[in-house]
Amino acid sequence: MGFLSNDQLTFIFGLLGNIVAVGMFLAPVPTFYTIFKRKSSEGFQSIPYSVALMSASLLLYYGLLKTNASLLISINSIGCAFEVTYLIIYLIYAPKQEKMHTMKLLLIFNMGSFGSMLLVTMFLIKGSNRLSVVGWICAVFSVAVCAAPLSVMRRVVRTKSVEYLPFALSASLTLNAVMWFFYGLLQHDYYIALPNVLGFLFGIAQMILYMVYKNSKNNGEEKEDHLAGNKEVEQMTNENESCSVDDPDKEMKISTCSFKPKKSNANKKMEEICTNV
């Protein structure tokens, strides 16, 4: 790649990062389509979208403080728009209790925390220090977001099931981390580059877990279904046997008989119960 300048490579990785990130922002669309069809968001949580909105807001503010950060500004503006839309849909269809919980979360976490940080950095921190402080805040928050899948990974190991670990999403997160790592590295912006190292490592770890446990769930379900089927057949055989008696002259079924085991203290007897049709 010696024929490409540093600025060109930065633009390429930033553009690819935008494309991959847009795909990630679109990932919840099926979830919200389900919510729209059901006219209820019960069973879903708003926390991931609140956290994603906070992350996009912080990086958007950081991009506005930087120079030559148009790609960083563009993708986080798009991210904010997506997350606000998701949260509005969630609030429209949320039960009253969840609606109140989400409103409190947005007021305290998104508006309160972000607003406080904005005021402090704008009025109390001057010059280049402002960019450094905001950069560190973004880096710490990004590390926390990258570490969030640890709970899912622990659940996969414990249950040996990848039900809550979609491979496509893990691959997208890994690819996204690669793109933004090189973008930050080429710009010598370590507030962007370093957190994505952790994002890349966690993404690889998730994909490895998926490959290790991807067949465990299916095998477990097949075994469970097989045992359940055997148990049902055995129960039907032991508890209820039916027969039919045909009248050879009338050529029609005239009675059905079912035999049920009836236990007594001394022995088991078969009681024949015939019901005429």
Side-chain angles (χ1 to χ4, degrees):
M1 291 186 179
F3 56 91
L4 294 176
S5 66
N6 187 78
D7 290 341
Q8 289 173 323
L9 287 172
T10 301
F11 177 79
I12 290 171
F13 280 109
L15 182 62
L16 291 172
N18 272 249
I19 294 170
V20 175
V22 167
M24 290 172 54
F25 289 135
L26 287 170
V29 167
T31 297
F32 283 90
Y33 179 69
T34 301
I35 290 174
F36 177 76
K37 284 182 65 178
R38 288 171 44 187
K39 307 299 182 186
S40 172
S41 57
E42 188 174 1
F44 297 96
Q45 292 187 340
S46 60
I47 293 175
Y49 311 105
S50 174
V51 172
L53 177 60
M54 184 66 164
S55 178
S57 301
L58 287 171
L59 288 168
L60 177 60
Y61 179 44
Y62 176 71
L64 291 171
L65 294 176
K66 278 176 62 69
T67 56
N68 301 321
S70 57
L71 291 171
L72 199 61
I73 293 170
S74 63
I75 189 56
N76 287 290
S77 299
I78 294 171
C80 287
F82 270 108
E83 302 307 330
V84 168
T85 303
Y86 292 147
L87 286 165
I88 290 173
I89 296 172
Y90 184 90
L91 286 170
I92 290 173
Y93 295 111
K96 185 177 180 180
Q97 185 175 358
E98 285 298 319
K99 190 175 294 187
M100 295 301 297
H101 173 75
T102 302
M103 290 296 296
K104 289 178 182 178
L105 181 67
L106 293 173
L107 287 171
I108 296 172
F109 181 63
N110 292 89
M111 297 179 67
S113 300
F114 181 75
S116 300
M117 185 275 299
L118 196 66
L119 291 173
V120 169
T121 54
M122 286 183 66
F123 294 106
L124 298 181
I125 302 173
K126 306 295 183 181
S128 60
N129 290 333
R130 181 185 299 163
L131 182 64
S132 298
V133 170
V134 175
W136 274 111
I137 293 172
C138 289
V140 171
F141 193 83
S142 296
V143 168
V145 171
C146 289
L150 280 173
S151 59
V152 178
M153 294 166 66
R154 184 169 61 249
R155 185 172 187 174
V156 170
V157 174
R158 187 176 68 252
T159 63
K160 294 180 172 55
S161 168
V162 294
E163 182 179 1
Y164 300 99
L165 188 66
F167 183 82
L169 183 58
S170 299
S172 298
L173 290 170
T174 306
L175 187 59
N176 186 65
V178 171
M179 298 305 159
W180 290 108
F181 166 76
F182 282 109
Y183 174 86
L185 187 66
L186 290 166
Q187 278 205 336
H188 304 288
D189 188 341
Y190 300 108
Y191 301 121
I192 299 295
L194 292 179
N196 282 292
V197 174
L198 191 62
F200 172 76
L201 294 175
F202 278 124
I204 292 294
Q206 289 178 63
M207 289 192 291
I208 291 173
L209 281 177
Y210 184 91
M211 298 304 294
V212 170
Y213 293 111
K214 67 177 181 178
N215 294 322
S216 298
K217 179 177 180 292
N218 293 333
N219 292 338
E221 285 182 346
E222 290 173 2
K223 184 176 180 181
E224 185 178 349
D225 291 342
H226 180 68
L227 291 175
N230 287 345
K231 185 176 180 181
E232 184 177 356
V233 170
E234 182 180 356
Q235 183 177 3
M236 292 173 62
T237 303
N238 291 337
E239 294 185 0
N240 189 17
E241 298 181 0
S242 64
C243 66
S244 64
V245 179
D246 295 335
D247 187 339
D249 297 327
K250 296 182 179 180
E251 296 183 352
M252 64 179 290
K253 185 188 294 183
I254 61 173
S255 66
T256 60
C257 303
S258 62
F259 298 92
K260 296 184 180 179
K262 191 173 183 179
K263 296 181 181 179
S264 63
N265 294 330
N267 55 17
K268 296 180 181 179
K269 297 181 180 179
M270 296 297 295
E271 179 183 13
E272 178 178 350
I273 304 172
C274 295
T275 58
N276 292 327
V277 176

